[in-house]
Every structure is written in C-alpha cells, then in structure tokens.
C-alpha cells in the first residue's frame, strides 16, 4: 500500500475533486529522484480497481515475477494477494445508501493507491475467461475468448502494472493487452489473432510511456439523493429566482436549492488510446468507490416541455441534429421515455465505426430512415440534445465567471417528475458559497444564463460557422484523390504502398459520399482511428501529411471541442460523438433570440401566449388594465392560484367605474375568488401590464378583456424576465397601488 509520508496534503482533497484526481488506472503521482543525500525515490502512484468480470492479483516483489511467463505465474503458488480482498478490510466501508440494484458503492476511508517502485509491487489484471484459459487449459475457453473479442471490441483482456510497465510499456495494437512490461506478447498462446494466424507477434508494439498510450477518463455517476425532503418531513429550501424566456414562451424556471445531497461514484473508466487501433476501452467496476456530498448548494433549471417541443419541431429540419439523435438512440438512453441515464456508451461508437468501415454510403440511409417520426421516444432524444447543449453552455460560462472547474462546480441533466432539469451544484459538502452569492445577485445570474443559452457572439461569424459546422471543398477532395492515384500508379513495385494509397482514396470517396447524401461528416476522432487501421506502421511517416489532410478536410462535425465545447467535464463522461453538444442547437437558439428581441408577428391569439405565463404564478398576480371582462380559462387559473394561498391584485382606470362590463366582471371575480382578489382604481393609470410573481412582466397596450385577448394579436411585443427590470415594475406598481383607492361596485 501507499506510503503516505509526503502525500498528506494531496489526499485531503474532497468531493468530486478527489474522484477526478484519484481516477482508477490513472497516474496520481509521478515522483522522480530524491533530495541531496537521499536515496533515489522514483515511483508511480496509481489507484487500481478490478473491473467487472476481471481478476486482479498483487505481488509484493517485482524481481521474482518479471521473468516468469503468465501461465507459470498464475499456476504456481507465488506469494500473491487478491487485490480487492487486500483493500477491502482496511480502506473501504459499504455506504448505507441504496442507489439501485446495479451498483454496490463503497466509501473510501483511505484511498487504496499503490506506489510502484523499481523493486515492486506488481499487479496483474486479467479477464476471468483469459485466467481460465491460461490456468486450466480447457479448449472451450479459447472459443470463448474469440467470441468475447468479437462481441466486445474495445474490451481489453490483460493489464500488467509495475514500475517497468508504467515507465516503458508495451501494448497490443488490437487492444487485447492494455499495458505490459514484457518483451514478447504475454498472451500469444491463447490470443484469438495468433490462433487465426493473423498475428505473429508483430501487433505487440514498441515501447511508449503510459501517458503517451492512453488518456484515462473517469466515468463518474452522480445520484441525487432525497430530492424532495431532508431529515424526514422537513422540506428543503427551494426558492424560485426567475424564468428564462424563449420568444414569447417560458423556456425554463430557475430555482436556488440549498441542502442538496448527492452520491458520486465511479461507474467505470475509459481509456482513449493514442496509439492502438481500438477506438477506446471501457472498464466498469463491480464494486466501486464513491463519496457523499451533503448539504451543498445548487441552481436548478426546470424546462417547460411545450416550449422544448417547439424547439424540437424546428430543429427537425437540421440534418446534424437528426444525425446526433440517430447515434444517441443507439445508446438506448431514452428507450422507455424516462431517460434514466444508464446508456450503453459503447453502442453508438461501435455503430458509427462499423457503418463507416462497411465502405458503403448507403448504410447511412438505414441510420436516418426512422428518425424524423416524432413519437414520444424520439421526442425525448431530441429534448435531451437541446437540454444537454444548454447545460454545457451554462456550466462553461459559470466556470469562466467564477474561476472554477469541474472539481468544484459540476452539473447533472435529469428527467424527473415529467420534466427535464439541469442541476448545477457545488461539489463539496456544505457548499462553497458561490452559487448562493449568485442567487442573491439575481440579475447577474440571469445575465450569465441568458447569454450562455443565447450565445449571439456566434451569429454572423463566418470563421466560427465554417469551423464549427463548415462544409467540404470539392476541389480539395479531387486534388487529394489525384495525389493518391499518382502514388499508387508510381509505387514502383511496392505493393503495400500502392494498396494503402488505393484504400485511402476509397475512404475519402466514402466520406465525401456520406457528406453529399446526408450533409454530415464523421467526427475527426473516428476518422483518425480508421486511418490508423488503413495505414501500416512502416508507412505512417510516408502518409503522415496525407492523413492529417484527410482529418482536417472532414473535420466539420457539429460540436467540435475547438468550438469551446466541453470534453472531460461532460456529466455523461468522456467526449463521445452522440453525447457531445450541438453547435446547430446553439446557433438556432441564438438566432431565434435575436429575432424575438424586436417583437414578432403572431399567428395565434394573445390568450394562448399569456396563459402559460399566468399558470406560473404561485404567490402574487398583479394586473394593470383599463377595463376587465370574464374569460373562463383565466378565471380557472386565478381560482387555482387562490386555492394555493396566492393573491390577485387588479388596478383599473377610472373609466372602469362607468363601464358595465367591468363592473359585472369585478363582481363575478369577487364572488369566485373571495378575499383573495383586491381591486383598486387609479386616477393616473397610463401603462398596461401583468406582473407574475415578481418574475415576469407582460407589457402591452391590450386590455385584460375578451376582445383584447383574442383580437389584438399584433400588439403583444414585450415579455420582460430580467429581475432588475421586473423589480422596477413591481416598485412602480406598489407606488401606484398605494396612491389608488378601493373600487366599490354598486
């Protein structure tokens, strides 16, 4: 186990910072040399958790085992310990929180890290089927290994961790050996490729550094605990701050929540290879470490489903969004319309990878055939794309504003109670105070969220548009294909060179045909991985510039990292194509917001616009109008408000005293609502407006009457939600109310 001397400060990290820092299989510390007069202390420190369906063994001394082959090492009784059993008694305790049947979560008492020095230890992690194949010599296990690899491409079989392997690792280009210190392939006697005659050891590659082999990214699951209550029946404080509009419609209601508790734990880790041919490895854990974050602060956005559907209907015309939905649906994220956030992260990548490798652009037709039907399941995928994109933009803006990162401020996209929600929370128990401060400064928080959702800086920038969602130049494609044809023609007997040039030319044709038929391109990550499989190792340098040109030529993916979008900070884990956010959505929202600012010509009645806003009211509804008449829908909303303890304040002009319709309406409202409604007359009434819960103002020259709500469609031009401006309206209303007199109906 780790000698903690000198590391106390690092191990005091809390919350998500600890989970991101001590990610299993990632180097926590890399120590070189020693001080003057001290012995050399070169060491690598890692946290290692055995993945599901894997065995892991710990050997104290490296020197005694490094010369033994795996079969001898595993069959004979060398001093070893089961890694999980070695940790379990001293470092972990079972969390007294039931997450669900899928997870067994343990809390760390002391992080179970290993410090690898030149003399030891040595840890071997291998798949249980590989273990049986090596130790029991049963022929059926070889067939199982072959089937396992065919079914789970991207699943490694063996990893050997030691000082030597971390400093100078070898690995399998096919991904079966994740890391090893051995000069020859340790599984060559049972490897499916060796048995098939497809590998004679040449796929067991040259030495590298561990950090040069893989980018290790944690797959962190966040479970929000007891959303409705804290400590029995005591209700958690939940304060409505303001509402975010989309045109004339409410898009999301923003709340501040204190004492939010959550559980964060590793679902697994992803190894993004930098050298081998597999897109990535994913390792999930049977027993996993987690931490509880108690009584922290959060900002919650709760989305209005009807407004989300208006956005979805418009985005159905955008090929990029349809394409993202197609890939996302492969993950089965929303198959039950609940979107319980347990997707198969590998499935979309495998589908995309296999489709592009099929060398037939028509296979993409099957991907998009049924994606434009707006049944409930499809709608949920599109809604998720929109909400997830908004979540990325907001968290990026907050990180920049507060000078924080994912270790201190994170987010969760959740479908709960029939509503899509974004939880933005501080990742340390007790909170840090940043979100509470922003909640008190409502206008500043409103400005940050609105600017991040409606990022108008993207509009009109040709450079941004071409990079984030650009096209493909036909002339560049033709020029590159001519170059490759000449390479194949003048290869001078080098058959491998000619075949590689022809393969690259066919691959370019496929990518271009996909773009021509469907208007989309494959993400550069996928293109680069396929290029690594097409170009042999000895020709990588020869075709290096050509490969870079292909990647850059087809880099017009809808949500590139270079466009300012998040990679590791994504709450769904590493950057995967179908789970990345969409530039198309960002651009659409920005354009719609810029158009709505000047007012729009409406194709529906004013009543249909204002009813959703009136339904928002929870405490106070203030109405300023010249005259008033009865509308059954509005009376129903007012009655519901009064039943829930709210109040209605109506300010009429002096002309309403002589208006028979207004007198009748006031009498009926008082009979229906009782003491909940108060009506006054003002001598100085000029403006007409509706103020909803100090959160929104509908200001326009229409009367709160049947005729005004039905016929004056073109008059509605301004809905105000900025807290500072709403506060000014409330102040003026109160001044007007205090100077008015009670309305007595004869």
């Amino acid at each position: 186990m780790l000698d903690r001397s000198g590391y106390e400060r690092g191990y005091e990290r809390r919350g998500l910072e600890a989970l991101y820092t001590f990610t299993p299989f990632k180097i926590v510390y890399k120590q070189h040399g020693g001080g003057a007069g001290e012995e050399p202390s070169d060491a690598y420190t890692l946290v290692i958790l055995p993945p599901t369906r894997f065995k892991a063994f710990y050997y104290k001394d490296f020197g005694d085992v490094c010369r033994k082959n795996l079969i001898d090492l595993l069959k004979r009784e060398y001093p070893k310990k089961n890694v999980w059993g070695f940790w379990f008694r001293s470092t972990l305790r079972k969390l007294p929180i039931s997450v669900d049947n899928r997870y067994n979560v343990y809390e760390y008492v002391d992080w179970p890290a290993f410090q690898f020095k030149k003399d030891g230890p040595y840890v071997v992690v291998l798949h249980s089927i590989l273990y049986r194949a090596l130790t029991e010599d049963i022929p059926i296990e070889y067939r199982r290994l072959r089937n396992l690899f065919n079914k789970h491409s991207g699943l490694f079989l063996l990893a050997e961790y030691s000082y030597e392997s971390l400093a100078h690792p070898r690995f399998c280009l096919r991904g079966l050996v994740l890391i090893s210190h051995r000069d020859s392939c340790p599984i060559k006697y049972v490897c499916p490729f060796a048995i098939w005659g497809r590998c004679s050891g040449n796929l067991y590659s040259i030495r590298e550094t561990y950090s040069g082999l893989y980018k290790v990214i944690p797959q962190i699951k966040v479970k929000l605990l007891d959303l409705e209550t804290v400590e029995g029946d005591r209700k958690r404080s939940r304060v409505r701050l303001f509402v975010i509009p989309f045109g004339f419609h409410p898009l999301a209601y923003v709340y501040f929540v204190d004492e939010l508790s959550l559980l964060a734990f590793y679902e697994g880790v992803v190894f993004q290879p930098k050298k081998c041919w597999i897109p990535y490895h994913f390792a999930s854990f049977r027993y996993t470490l987690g931490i509880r974050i108690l009584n922290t602060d959060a900002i919650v956005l709760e989305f209005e489903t009807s407004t989300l559907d208006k956005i979805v209907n418009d985005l159905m015309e955008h090929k990029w969004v349809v394409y993202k939905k197609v890939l996302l649906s492969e993950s089965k994220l929303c198959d039950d319309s609940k979107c319980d956030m347990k997707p198969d992260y590998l499935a979309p990548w495998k589908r995309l990878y296999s489709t592009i490798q099929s060398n037939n652009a028509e296979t993409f037709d099957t991907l998009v055939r049924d994606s434009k039907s707006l049944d409930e399941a499809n709608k949920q995928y599109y809604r998720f794309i929109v909400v997830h994109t908004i979540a990325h933009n907001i968290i990026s803006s907050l990180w920049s504003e507060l000078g924080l990162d994912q270790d201190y401020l994170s987010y969760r996209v959740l479908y709960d109670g029939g509503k899509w929600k974004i939880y933005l929370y501080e990742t340390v128990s007790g909170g840090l105070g940043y979100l509470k401060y922003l909640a008190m400064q409502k206008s500043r928080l409103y400005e940050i969220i609105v600017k991040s959702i409606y990022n108008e800086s993207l509009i009109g920038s040709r450079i941004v548009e071409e990079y984030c969602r650009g096209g493909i130049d036909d002339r560049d494609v033709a020029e590159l294909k001519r170059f490759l044809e000449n390479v194949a023609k003048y290869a001078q007997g080098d058959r491998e060179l000619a075949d590689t040039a022809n393969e690259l030319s066919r691959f370019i044709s496929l990518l271009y045909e996909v773009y021509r038929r469907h208007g989309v391109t494959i993400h550069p990550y996928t293109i680069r991985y396929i290029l690594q499989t097409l170009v042999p190792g000895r020709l990588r340098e020869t075709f290096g510039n050509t490969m870079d040109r292909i990647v850059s030529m087809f880099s017009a993916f809808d949500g590139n990292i270079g466009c300012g979008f998040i990679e590791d900070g994504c709450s769904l884990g590493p950057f995967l194509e179908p789970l990345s956010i969409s530039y198309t959505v960002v651009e659409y929202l920005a354009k719609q917001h810029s158009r709505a600012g000047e007012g729009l010509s409406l194709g529906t009645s004013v009543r249909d616009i204002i009813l959703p806003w009136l339904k928002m009211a929870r405490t106070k509804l203030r109405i300023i109008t010249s005259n008033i008449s009865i509308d059954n829908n509005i009376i129903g909303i007012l009655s519901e408000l009064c039943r829930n303890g709210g109040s209605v304040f109506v300010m009429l002009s002096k002309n309403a005293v002589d208006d028979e319709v207004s007198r009748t309406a006031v009498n009926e409202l008082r009979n229906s609502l009782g003491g909940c409604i108060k009506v006054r007359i003002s001598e100085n009434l000029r403006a007409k407006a509706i103020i909803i819960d100090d959160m929104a103002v509908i200001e326009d020259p229409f009367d709160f009457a049947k005729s005004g709500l039905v016929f004056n469609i073109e008059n509605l031009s301004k809905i105000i939600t900025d807290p500072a401006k709403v506060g000014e309206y409330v102040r003026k209303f109160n001044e007007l109310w205090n100077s008015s007199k009670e309305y007595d109906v004869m």
Side-chain angles (χ1 to χ4, degrees):
M1 294 295 288
L2 175 67
D3 177 8
R4 287 197 54 179
S5 60
Y7 293 107
E8 283 81 358
R9 177 174 295 181
Y11 276 78
E12 290 174 357
R13 293 173 181 172
R14 301 180 297 156
L16 286 188
E17 183 187 16
L19 289 188
Y20 279 109
T21 301
F22 305 119
T23 298
F25 298 101
K26 184 175 72 176
I27 294 177
V28 179
Y29 295 109
K30 183 177 180 181
Q31 188 176 7
H32 289 296
E38 298 179 5
E39 294 184 2
S41 56
D42 288 4
Y44 296 91
T45 302
L46 277 79
V47 174
I48 300 177
L49 294 181
T52 304
R53 300 184 299 276
F54 277 71
K55 291 181 177 294
F57 299 103
Y58 166 89
Y59 298 81
K60 183 177 180 181
D61 299 316
F62 178 70
D64 293 338
V65 299
C66 66
R67 293 181 294 274
K68 305 295 182 181
N69 64 50
L70 270 179
I71 296 177
D72 288 342
L73 188 64
L74 295 172
K75 281 186 174 181
R76 298 183 181 179
E77 290 300 321
Y78 290 98
K80 64 183 179 183
K81 297 181 180 180
N82 180 284
V83 170
W84 182 254
F86 182 50
W87 287 342
F88 183 78
R89 289 183 297 273
S90 61
T91 62
L92 303 175
R93 61 189 176 200
K94 183 73 175 288
L95 277 171
I97 298 174
S98 176
V99 182
D100 54 44
N101 294 330
R102 178 177 173 181
Y103 301 105
N104 292 308
V105 181
Y106 292 80
E107 189 174 33
Y108 70 91
V109 177
D110 189 10
W111 281 96
F114 287 97
Q115 191 175 71
F116 293 95
K117 297 182 179 181
K118 292 183 179 181
D119 56 351
Y122 160 74
V123 175
V124 57
V125 181
L126 70 166
H127 199 280
S128 57
I129 293 180
L130 176 62
Y131 176 77
R132 290 197 296 270
L134 291 170
T135 57
E136 300 177 14
D137 198 25
I138 302 175
I140 191 174
E141 300 300 340
Y142 299 105
R143 293 198 297 272
R144 288 179 177 174
L145 275 177
R146 180 185 60 195
N147 295 334
L148 181 70
F149 182 76
N150 287 337
K151 186 177 180 181
H152 300 286
S153 59
L155 179 67
F156 69 92
L157 299 180
L158 174 71
E160 296 183 276
Y161 286 96
S162 63
Y163 176 87
E164 184 66 23
S165 68
L166 291 169
H168 306 289
R170 287 182 179 270
F171 62 100
C172 172
L173 285 171
R174 291 287 185 183
L176 277 70
V177 178
L178 187 75
I179 180 175
S180 176
H181 63 276
R182 302 177 188 274
D183 292 331
S184 61
C185 179
I187 62 171
K188 58 186 176 183
Y189 300 110
V190 294
C191 172
F193 288 102
I195 295 173
W196 297 335
R198 299 180 186 176
C199 177
S200 58
N202 59 318
L203 295 179
Y204 191 66
S205 188
I206 59 175
R207 295 186 183 275
E208 247 295 352
T209 62
Y210 184 57
S211 59
L213 278 184
Y214 307 103
K215 181 176 184 181
V216 184
I217 301 173
Q219 200 77 31
I220 294 177
K221 178 105 176 160
V222 176
K223 179 78 173 180
L224 302 182
L225 304 175
D226 46 63
L227 288 177
E228 298 302 325
T229 62
V230 178
E231 298 177 1
D233 296 330
R234 185 169 67 85
K235 292 291 183 181
R236 170 180 291 111
S237 172
R238 174 175 160 130
V239 180
R240 282 211 303 179
L241 301 177
F242 46 80
V243 60
I244 303 296
F246 175 74
F248 292 110
H249 308 281
L251 173 62
Y253 311 107
V254 180
Y255 299 86
F256 173 75
V257 177
D258 68 353
E259 298 185 347
L260 177 71
S261 296
L262 53 94
L263 171 66
F265 57 95
Y266 298 117
E267 187 178 29
V269 294
V270 172
F271 300 88
Q272 284 192 348
K274 301 178 182 179
K275 298 292 182 181
C276 62
W277 297 343
I278 300 300
Y280 57 83
H281 295 290
F282 179 77
S284 60
F285 302 125
R286 180 174 48 209
Y287 303 101
T288 183
L289 297 178
I291 52 106
R292 286 176 290 179
I293 300 175
L294 305 176
N295 301 329
T296 191
D297 296 330
I299 299 293
V300 182
L301 281 77
E302 182 180 292
F303 287 83
E304 182 64 45
T305 302
S306 60
T307 307
L308 277 180
D309 287 345
K310 295 179 190 299
I311 296 173
V312 166
N313 289 334
D314 288 345
L315 289 173
M316 288 292 296
E317 303 301 321
H318 295 267
K319 295 180 179 179
W320 276 115
V321 179
V322 175
Y323 176 46
K324 280 178 173 287
K325 181 268 161 189
V326 169
L327 295 178
L328 188 59
S329 62
E330 291 290 321
S331 70
K332 311 300 182 185
L333 177 74
C334 298
D335 269 13
D336 57 0
S337 299
K338 296 180 180 179
C339 296
D340 61 359
M341 305 309 243
K342 296 180 185 176
D344 181 352
Y345 294 99
L346 293 177
W349 190 288
K350 288 181 180 177
R351 179 63 181 273
L352 184 63
Y353 193 67
S354 61
T355 301
I356 198 67
Q357 281 190 314
S358 67
N359 206 30
N360 184 355
E362 292 182 359
T363 57
F364 268 75
D365 294 342
T366 60
L367 285 176
V368 300
R369 183 178 301 150
D370 301 321
S371 294
K372 289 195 174 184
S373 63
L374 276 182
D375 55 40
E376 184 59 24
N378 275 345
K379 280 185 179 180
Q380 283 291 64
Y381 283 109
Y382 286 115
R383 291 167 188 154
F384 170 77
I385 291 172
V386 173
V387 174
H388 189 225
T389 298
I390 290 173
H392 269 241
N393 287 336
I394 293 175
I395 197 70
S396 293
S397 297
L398 288 174
W399 286 347
S400 176
E401 176 74 17
L402 300 174
L404 302 177
D405 58 21
Q406 63 196 22
D407 290 343
Y408 299 98
L409 185 65
S410 190
Y411 76 100
R412 178 85 160 86
V413 176
L414 184 69
Y415 186 69
D416 176 57
K419 297 284 188 179
W420 280 101
K421 299 176 183 178
I422 299 173
Y423 281 79
L424 308 157
Y425 57 88
E426 294 169 343
T427 62
V428 175
S429 292
L432 297 168
Y434 293 103
L435 295 183
K436 181 174 290 187
Y437 171 78
L438 284 178
M440 295 172 62
Q441 307 292 325
K442 291 196 296 184
S443 294
R444 183 63 188 135
L445 180 61
Y446 177 88
E447 181 183 1
I448 293 171
I449 293 178
V450 168
K451 285 187 175 180
S452 60
I453 296 177
Y454 305 116
N455 190 351
E456 296 185 21
S457 64
L458 296 176
I459 306 303
S461 172
R462 184 175 179 181
I463 295 177
V464 171
E465 182 171 349
E466 286 182 353
Y467 180 74
C468 296
R469 202 208 50 222
I472 296 173
D473 194 315
D474 299 349
R475 293 170 296 182
D476 289 344
V477 174
E479 179 185 346
L480 189 54
K481 285 176 63 68
R482 282 195 300 269
F483 167 76
L484 291 170
E485 289 170 1
N486 289 332
V487 171
K489 182 177 180 181
Y490 300 107
Q492 296 181 350
D494 190 336
R495 187 65 182 171
E496 189 175 40
L497 178 64
D499 289 345
T500 302
N502 289 329
E503 284 295 320
L504 290 176
S505 181
R506 281 193 292 270
F507 183 51
I508 292 171
S509 298
L510 172 63
L511 293 176
Y512 182 66
E513 181 65 13
V514 168
Y515 177 76
R516 190 186 65 81
R517 291 169 68 95
H518 300 286
V520 300
T521 63
I522 312 306
H523 192 274
Y525 281 4
T526 305
I527 295 175
R528 192 173 292 279
Y529 285 131
I530 294 178
L531 288 174
Q532 289 175 346
T533 67
L534 294 178
V535 180
R538 77 175 186 88
L539 296 177
R540 294 278 173 82
E541 186 174 354
T542 303
F543 286 102
N545 290 334
T546 302
M547 294 167 67
D548 290 341
R549 285 188 63 186
I550 294 173
V551 172
S552 62
M553 186 182 301
F554 294 95
S555 64
F557 187 78
D558 183 43
N560 285 320
I561 296 173
C563 298
F565 299 153
I566 304 170
E567 182 180 0
D568 298 353
C570 177
S571 67
L572 293 173
F575 182 90
L576 304 181
E577 294 167 23
L579 303 182
S580 66
I581 75 168
S582 174
Y583 171 77
T584 299
V585 173
V586 174
E587 182 190 48
Y588 165 80
L589 292 173
K591 286 184 176 179
Q592 291 300 315
H593 183 67
S594 64
R595 293 168 183 166
E598 301 298 326
L600 298 175
S601 175
L602 303 178
T604 185
S605 68
V606 172
R607 179 194 290 110
D608 294 335
I609 297 297
I610 71 168
L611 284 181
W613 292 95
L614 296 180
K615 291 177 181 178
M616 285 173 39
R618 296 292 182 272
T619 57
K620 293 180 182 179
L621 190 63
R622 301 176 176 92
I623 301 169
I624 307 173
T625 181
S626 297
N627 299 289
I628 190 169
S629 61
I630 296 299
D631 181 281
N632 291 332
N633 289 323
I634 293 178
I635 286 184
I637 294 173
L638 299 183
S639 299
E640 181 69 19
L641 173 63
C642 291
R643 283 194 296 270
N644 293 326
S647 302
V648 180
F649 300 87
V650 180
M651 180 78 70
L652 297 175
S653 70
K654 60 182 179 180
N655 296 329
V657 176
D658 300 322
D659 181 66
E660 184 176 350
V661 174
S662 294
R663 291 200 305 271
T664 302
V666 171
N667 274 328
E668 292 189 21
L669 286 171
R670 283 177 168 172
N671 291 333
S672 299
L673 306 180
C676 167
I677 186 171
K678 295 178 173 56
V679 185
R680 289 197 169 194
I681 296 293
S682 173
E683 298 285 342
N684 302 311
L685 189 63
R686 298 288 185 270
K688 301 176 184 179
I690 305 170
I691 306 173
I692 305 157
D693 271 2
D694 299 353
M695 292 180 62
V697 176
I698 304 174
E699 181 201 48
D700 259 304
F702 67 87
D703 282 326
F704 202 75
K706 285 185 178 181
S707 58
L709 296 176
V710 176
F711 298 110
N712 291 356
I713 298 172
E714 73 284 355
N715 289 334
L716 185 62
S717 62
K718 188 180 292 186
I719 295 179
I720 300 168
T721 56
D722 185 328
K725 295 179 181 178
V726 173
E728 184 64 20
Y729 273 87
V730 172
R731 185 186 65 79
K732 291 181 178 179
F733 179 90
N734 290 337
E735 290 179 355
L736 197 61
W737 184 266
N738 292 332
S739 63
S740 61
K741 60 182 180 180
E742 189 75 20
Y743 179 49
D744 295 323
V745 180
M746 300 300 295

